Amino acid sequence: MNNKELFKISKYVYAESFLQSQLDMSGTSVSSVMEKMEKNKRYIKNQVIFTKIIMVLYVSFLILLPITGYMQIEKAINEGISITWILFLGGVINGGYFLFQFAYLLMFGMFSSTGLFTGNIFDWLSTLPFKKKEMNKIGIMTLFRVIDAQFIALMLIFPLATAIFTKSIIITLISLGISTLNTIFSFNVLIILSKKFASVIKGAEANAKGSNLTRILFLVGYLATTMFAVLGIQFLIPIINPLYFQEPTNLALFESLNKWIGLVPFPLSGGYLLTSFLVGFDNISFLQILPYLAGLAIFALIDYLLLKKSLKIMNDVIISRIDSKTQKFKVSTVSDVSITVVSPIKAFIKRDKSMILRDIQSIIFILFPFILPWVPFFLALEPGTGFDEIDGFGIIGLIYCIMGSIMIIMGLSSIEKTGTTINASLPIIVRDQVKARIKWAFVIIPLGTLLPVIMHIGKPFFWDILVIQVLIAIVGLLFGTFTLLLRIRLFGKMKNKYTLANVKFRYKIAKNVLLFALDLILMIVIVVGFVSQLTSRDIVEFTLIIFPIELVLAFSLYFVYNKMFPRPRKLD
Amino acid sequence: MENIEHALLDVKSLSKSFENVQAVDNLSFHIRKGEIYGLLGPNGAGKTTTIKLILGLLEADAGDISVLGLNPETDEVEIKNRIGYVSEEPLIYKSLTPKELFNFIASIRKLDGEKVSKKLAEYLEGLSAIEYYERLISTLSRGNKQKVQIIAAILHDPEILIMDEPLAGLDAKSVRVVKEIIELHTKRGGSVLFSTHIMEIAEDICDRIGIINNGKLVAEGDFEELRQRANAIGDDVDLEDIFLKLTDQDESINGIIEKLRTTML
Ligand SMILES: Nc1ncnc2c1ncn2[C@@H]1O[C@H](COP(=O)(O)OP(=O)(O)OP(=O)(O)O)[C@@H](O)[C@H]1O
Ligand SMILES: [Mg+2]
């Protein structure tokens, strides 16, 4: 078979591996991924393209960091800033860029590449009449398909931007060389880590604590990089660039630092070498760049060794020589059986806790109410001292709190999907079930909303912010409860979600649209009302108006709740 | 009237249709105390739909159901306190372990912790499921999931056991144990509604069998009665033939077998 045909075949292996990665990452919400696929045949394709575009976008964002630095270097030299200082900053900033690029690749590559290692995707190939050599080729081609866009972005965006901004062929070539070394390094590390990661999250071990922790860490890392890519860079550039013009006094320290840390193969040697060329040999001697060249030589050697290792891993995967380590399971005995009976509401909460920690989707839904309220604090690190600045702060906080409460309700409502037939057999009192949900919301929403206030302890407007956040948290709770009740009203009681499918799930899309529209309208009304009051009054007046309204709404919701889920009557 | 008095479960003229299928069609039967009643029918006959109607999981188009003298549509919680249900599809929280699941169930059913622990340990051991006690349900094999589901259904000593194809996926030993569980349950005075599409199983386990096809009851009686009907049709006719005949499958199956012969030989 020729290479072209093999490349065609690798497409199927690739689709398979991507699906496998999605399933691995979703933990136990596998069925929902499958469901999405059934509904939308292009689901996988879209996901693939989306992941790739995001990665390329982020790298393009990030490129601003070194590029804006180039211009500062020229200016700084003209202003007579010490070369030692410029070299240090330039080296570290470029190195930082390489490091971030590397981190991005791991974050985004891992999504698509773990599937190569977890699901024995090459197994079915071995049932077909391929030669071993052809199998190997297919494996490498599959890997390339997984990371093609990322590969090209990583390799070329940096030299391209360098070429455009420096218009120097030599510097462009150097950046291309460094970029190549970085790219090889990054991909080899990606393969090695994916393999490690794959064995951690592999289905059968999904219960292991380490695997849950890995999922959570990965997710937090993912959210952090995303936030950084979108918000962080904006803040970093104005902070970092002026540093070029703030020369420190102890230059001797930096002089030796430049020598020693410039030896660190990744990411600093490359950063330093590039900066040296940017600074130009009018300003530094050729001897000075020797440590950087040495560092890069070591880097090349490391690349070579890593390449050998990752090729071996690929090879093992393809011919299924992967050590199928005998998994260590706890084998329980009769003495382990000891049932503790708690109240039904507590039982629901305990069950939810176990399930949320094992399901990446639910983790996201629970994490968001904690993460979102930080955004306004992050956006306005110094929200001024007067009350006026606090307004904007309150508005954004309110919107994010409402969004967080919608998410948590959505997350909690989808959690029961895999247990529907057990639920169908249990004498569940719906009131208990709903109460357990509301309890979750009552812990998470206030906690998530109030935690960021800590940032403002000791500031003059601390009490104002605290009061506003408390009022916002109450809005979040009311909103969450409202959404929950509306959902149940529209989609039927949760216990019957599966079994009553054909009865209550008619017009599912229309109902979802209705739910969304109602939530949106309500959110706009609340935000507009909140804001108009907040901007026209002082905090005491504001509280005196908003709080009673919240109380009235709370009582009405409680009334509706009691109507929908009456206390169970006692049978005698 | 005699029936009502002894019937723990009474279904009268039950009908249910989905968009274009009449899944249950004017179906009537009852189950007495201490009896194992088998709903036997081919795939798609309406067994699962009937069971869901009995549990109040679907709303009937027409007909009356009485479970332990209660109405499933209004007394759902009370009914579920007193029956055990093994569903066809074990959707039993795959991201929990059996341990967590049984803790959850015992709490929802407000059982006595100490008593239930003892019982649970025995069931788990009897069905050789004890070693999976702390593993994720999603990692269990289909048969082991089924065992978990069966134990979940009998933990509270229900008066009626409703089992939808409970033996699917079980190995020989576990089939034996489940049969034993069913037997003991009836000795205690409990009743069982048992659905299956496999005739031998119905013959082996059930006291009385209702053969159901296209949502209709086509024959009912104990094993002997059904055999006599078979004999009445012809000498050479066994129960399998009558099952296929009653469910309109006898002719089509001969055609299929004929076709298979020509393609495979
Ligand atoms: N939710 C539904 N929507 C539409 N049709 C349904 C639904 N559930 C069942 N049916 C149809 O009703 C009929 C009876 O189905 P049912 O599941 O009760 O059969 P069954 O006897 O349990 O079959 P099996 O032996 O395969 O379990 C079938 O034709 C089926 O396609
Ligand atoms: Mg069925």
Side-chain angles (χ1 to χ4, degrees):
Chain A
M1 231 180 246
N2 64 27
N3 284 341
K4 212 173 142 196
E5 282 169 319
L6 290 179
F7 193 66
K8 254 189 206 153
I9 289 169
S10 73
K11 187 174 164 184
Y12 300 105
V13 188
Y14 169 51
E16 181 87 355
S17 90
F18 190 86
L19 172 62
Q20 186 65 44
S21 308
Q22 296 268 311
L23 297 182
D24 291 336
M25 290 310 301
S26 60
T28 45
S29 61
V30 168
S31 59
S32 71
V33 175
M34 298 296 248
E35 202 177 295
K36 274 188 218 137
M37 256 179 39
E38 293 259 294
K39 281 200 199 107
N40 183 359
K41 298 282 181 241
R42 282 187 56 86
Y43 177 71
I44 293 249
K45 215 171 195 170
N46 294 343
Q47 286 291 102
V48 170
I49 295 169
F50 181 71
T51 329
K52 287 186 174 167
I53 290 178
I54 289 278
M55 165 77 191
V56 173
L57 269 183
Y58 282 8
V59 173
S60 320
F61 246 124
L62 197 63
I63 201 85
L64 289 173
L65 191 63
I67 292 303
T68 54
Y70 289 173
M71 297 183 261
Q72 308 306 315
I73 290 178
E74 216 180 306
K75 251 199 254 166
I77 293 174
N78 288 340
E79 285 192 20
I81 302 287
S82 133
I83 298 297
T84 306
W85 176 240
I86 296 176
L87 198 59
F88 173 77
L89 261 187
V92 170
I93 290 172
N94 282 330
Y97 166 73
F98 296 150
L99 203 63
F100 270 117
Q101 215 182 23
F102 172 67
Y104 279 14
L105 179 80
L106 289 191
M107 293 316 304
F108 289 95
M110 210 86 111
F111 260 124
S112 357
S113 58
T114 51
L116 286 174
F117 306 103
T118 46
N120 306 337
I121 52 161
F122 295 102
D123 277 7
W124 65 269
L125 273 187
S126 59
T127 66
L128 299 173
F130 284 119
K131 293 195 199 85
K132 220 174 221 171
K133 211 168 147 202
E134 288 173 332
M135 295 260 292
N136 260 331
K137 273 190 190 164
I138 294 178
I140 303 285
M141 285 166 176
T142 308
L143 182 67
F144 180 74
R145 281 180 185 274
V146 171
I147 52 185
D148 49 3
Q150 289 94 321
F151 193 89
I152 291 164
L154 225 60
M155 185 97 157
L156 295 183
I157 288 184
F158 183 58
L160 230 103
T162 306
I164 292 170
F165 281 88
T166 62
K167 300 196 179 66
S168 149
I169 295 179
I170 297 182
I171 295 179
T172 304
L173 283 180
I174 293 201
S175 69
L176 182 65
I178 296 169
S179 207
T180 311
L181 285 178
N182 284 341
T183 310
I184 296 174
F185 175 76
S186 310
F187 280 113
N188 290 329
V189 172
L190 175 69
I191 293 175
I192 294 165
L193 282 186
S194 299
K195 160 77 181 35
K196 278 250 151 62
F197 191 60
S199 58
V200 176
I201 61 173
K202 213 166 180 173
E205 292 170 32
N207 190 23
K209 284 225 169 64
S211 139
N212 287 330
L213 198 67
T214 316
R215 277 205 186 87
I216 296 175
L217 281 182
F218 192 78
L219 200 75
V220 171
Y222 186 73
L223 290 174
T225 10
T226 305
M227 273 190 145
F228 180 80
V230 179
L231 300 169
I233 292 284
Q234 266 171 304
F235 291 102
L236 267 185
I237 289 173
I239 294 171
I240 285 179
N241 281 342
L243 285 179
Y244 276 105
F245 305 97
Q246 291 161 18
E247 201 178 292
T249 45
N250 49 344
L251 277 173
L253 170 69
F254 288 99
E255 191 147 3
S256 50
L257 265 183
N258 282 348
K259 254 180 236 143
W260 293 112
I261 64 173
L263 259 173
V264 179
F266 181 80
L268 291 174
S269 292
Y272 267 102
L273 187 74
L274 196 70
T275 315
S276 307
F277 275 85
L278 283 167
V279 168
F281 286 96
D282 306 340
N283 296 311
I284 56 170
S285 70
F286 188 69
L287 264 182
Q288 264 178 291
I289 67 164
L290 276 185
Y292 315 147
L293 287 176
L296 283 178
I298 300 173
F299 193 30
L301 183 71
I302 294 174
D303 270 5
Y304 172 72
L305 294 176
L306 286 176
L307 184 66
K308 257 177 77 172
K309 174 147 179 128
S310 61
L311 280 179
K312 183 171 178 319
I313 288 179
M314 280 308 293
N315 198 37
D316 284 355
V317 172
I318 291 156
I319 53 178
S320 304
R321 228 192 303 127
I322 283 288
D323 42 302
S324 47
K325 262 185 259 159
T326 38
Q327 278 141 7
K328 267 179 250 130
F329 278 127
K330 178 173 181 195
V331 175
S332 310
T333 56
V334 172
S335 56
D336 293 319
V337 179
S338 161
I339 298 287
T340 338
V341 173
V342 293
S343 77
I345 295 177
K346 274 210 191 102
F348 280 118
I349 291 176
K350 257 171 95 174
R351 176 205 65 180
D352 292 345
K353 221 178 346 191
S354 311
M355 301 211 318
I356 286 168
L357 281 178
R358 289 176 195 143
D359 178 46
I360 202 142
Q361 248 179 11
S362 314
I363 296 174
I364 295 180
F365 282 124
I366 300 295
L367 275 180
F368 263 102
F370 284 104
I371 292 173
L372 290 177
W374 287 88
V375 173
F377 288 83
F378 192 51
L379 283 177
L381 285 173
E382 280 297 317
T385 45
F387 187 60
D388 289 347
E389 282 86 350
I390 299 174
D391 296 352
F393 203 70
I395 298 163
I396 301 170
L398 179 66
I399 294 173
Y400 278 122
C401 179
I402 290 178
M403 273 161 57
S405 67
I406 294 177
M407 293 196 92
I408 187 169
I409 293 302
M410 267 168 36
L412 288 172
S413 315
S414 64
I415 203 173
E416 272 174 339
K417 251 188 256 166
T418 69
T420 37
T421 61
I422 276 290
N423 278 12
S425 73
L426 290 177
I428 288 174
I429 292 160
V430 188
R431 189 182 165 94
D432 292 345
Q433 204 179 8
V434 176
K435 215 177 193 171
R437 294 263 176 294
I438 293 180
K439 276 200 171 171
W440 272 105
F442 268 61
V443 172
I444 290 173
I445 293 174
L447 209 63
T449 313
L450 294 180
L451 263 182
V453 179
I454 297 173
M455 300 282 286
H456 292 282
I457 284 180
K459 295 199 180 153
F461 49 80
F462 171 73
W463 291 107
D464 291 3
I465 291 213
L466 182 65
V467 169
I468 291 179
Q469 290 293 100
V470 168
L471 293 173
I472 286 177
I474 299 174
V475 174
L477 283 177
L478 293 174
F479 207 91
T481 313
F482 170 77
T483 307
L484 178 67
L485 296 183
L486 189 62
R487 261 190 93 91
I488 298 173
R489 179 78 238 160
L490 287 177
F491 290 112
K493 291 174 183 162
M494 282 170 282
K495 61 175 179 174
N496 288 339
K497 226 175 151 181
Y498 162 74
T499 33
L500 271 184
N502 33 41
V503 183
K504 299 264 172 164
F505 262 50
R506 264 187 216 149
Y507 316 119
K508 187 175 166 186
I509 295 173
K511 283 176 177 176
N512 268 317
V513 171
L514 181 68
L515 184 65
F516 177 76
L518 276 177
D519 267 356
L520 193 71
I521 292 170
L522 195 67
M523 179 160 130
I524 292 171
V525 170
I526 291 177
V527 170
V528 169
F530 207 83
V531 169
S532 69
Q533 294 307 309
L534 186 62
T535 45
S536 59
R537 286 167 217 282
D538 73 17
I539 190 80
V540 178
E541 272 178 37
F542 177 71
T543 311
L544 285 178
I545 290 177
I546 296 293
F547 189 65
I549 296 179
E550 289 183 334
L551 267 186
V552 170
L553 290 176
F555 274 112
S556 338
L557 275 178
Y558 185 67
F559 178 76
V560 174
Y561 162 80
N562 271 327
K563 263 246 131 61
M564 279 173 79
F565 315 109
R567 275 171 230 279
R569 65 200 157 89
K570 284 260 173 287
L571 284 177
D572 6 58
Chain B
M1 276 295 101
E2 174 257 352
N3 284 345
I4 307 290
E5 226 174 301
H6 298 281
L8 284 187
L9 193 148
D10 194 16
V11 173
K12 278 206 199 99
S13 324
L14 191 64
S15 289
K16 169 78 187 174
S17 64
F18 297 108
E19 282 114 51
N20 41 23
V21 202
Q22 187 70 37
V24 177
D25 193 358
N26 200 13
L27 186 71
S28 300
F29 67 93
H30 64 269
I31 302 177
R32 304 187 196 102
K33 199 164 158 45
E35 180 179 60
I36 305 174
Y37 187 91
L39 269 183
L40 174 67
N43 296 131
K47 305 179 293 288
T48 301
T49 308
T50 308
I51 287 175
K52 283 183 180 172
L53 288 165
I54 292 170
L55 285 159
L57 300 174
L58 287 172
E59 284 161 27
D61 297 341
D64 287 310
I65 302 170
S66 149
V67 185
L68 298 162
L70 300 163
N71 179 349
E73 278 178 31
T74 53
D75 305 313
E76 200 196 312
V77 172
E78 175 61 13
I79 287 177
K80 283 178 185 169
N81 264 322
R82 295 166 61 182
I83 63 171
Y85 169 45
V86 177
S87 72
E88 180 176 41
E89 223 181 321
L91 284 175
I92 50 172
Y93 289 116
K94 50 190 174 168
S95 52
L96 293 184
T97 61
K99 175 181 174 168
E100 291 159 342
L101 178 72
F102 290 129
N103 270 295
F104 174 65
I105 291 174
S107 300
I108 295 290
R109 289 196 180 279
K110 304 191 176 105
L111 304 178
D112 177 309
E114 217 167 291
K115 269 191 217 156
V116 87
S117 303
K118 206 166 145 258
K119 223 183 299 171
L120 177 61
E122 275 161 23
Y123 288 141
L124 284 167
E125 221 182 5
L127 287 170
S128 341
I130 186 82
E131 59 179 295
Y132 313 109
Y133 188 55
E134 284 163 77
R135 288 187 204 167
L136 275 192
I137 289 173
S138 62
T139 68
L140 301 188
S141 69
R142 148 115 207 170
N144 285 330
K145 277 185 196 139
Q146 187 69 2
K147 290 178 194 170
V148 170
Q149 204 192 186
I150 290 173
I151 296 172
I154 56 178
L155 220 43
H156 56 294
D157 298 333
E159 292 161 60
I160 307 177
L161 253 179
I162 298 183
M163 306 175 113
D164 200 350
E165 316 253 0
L167 302 181
L170 293 188
D171 54 28
K173 182 186 165 222
S174 304
V175 167
R176 185 83 195 74
V177 176
V178 171
K179 278 186 198 163
E180 195 61 40
I181 288 173
I182 292 174
E183 194 90 347
L184 291 173
H185 169 77
T186 51
K187 281 226 176 85
R188 263 195 325 225
S191 313
V192 181
L193 173 59
F194 188 102
S195 106
T196 179
H197 56 271
I198 300 169
M199 216 198 37
E200 287 81 8
I201 291 179
E203 180 182 337
D204 187 20
I205 294 180
C206 303
D207 300 328
R208 221 145 52 87
I209 299 170
I211 297 181
I212 171 174
N213 189 37
N214 291 330
K216 287 194 202 59
L217 198 68
V218 288
E220 190 184 48
D222 63 22
F223 183 55
E224 258 326 297
E225 288 164 353
L226 290 175
R227 180 179 297 279
Q228 275 163 21
R229 269 187 81 165
N231 287 338
I233 293 174
D235 270 348
D236 224 12
V237 182
D238 64 8
L239 204 56
E240 184 166 313
D241 292 325
I242 187 163
F243 174 54
L244 291 175
K245 186 153 197 82
L246 285 169
T247 53
D248 295 332
Q249 296 176 94
D250 54 340
E251 269 158 38
S252 62
I253 202 142
N254 287 334
I256 292 166
I257 290 171
E258 206 41 55
K259 267 194 201 133
L260 281 176
R261 280 225 171 95
T262 48
T263 45
M264 291 184 73
L265 291 180

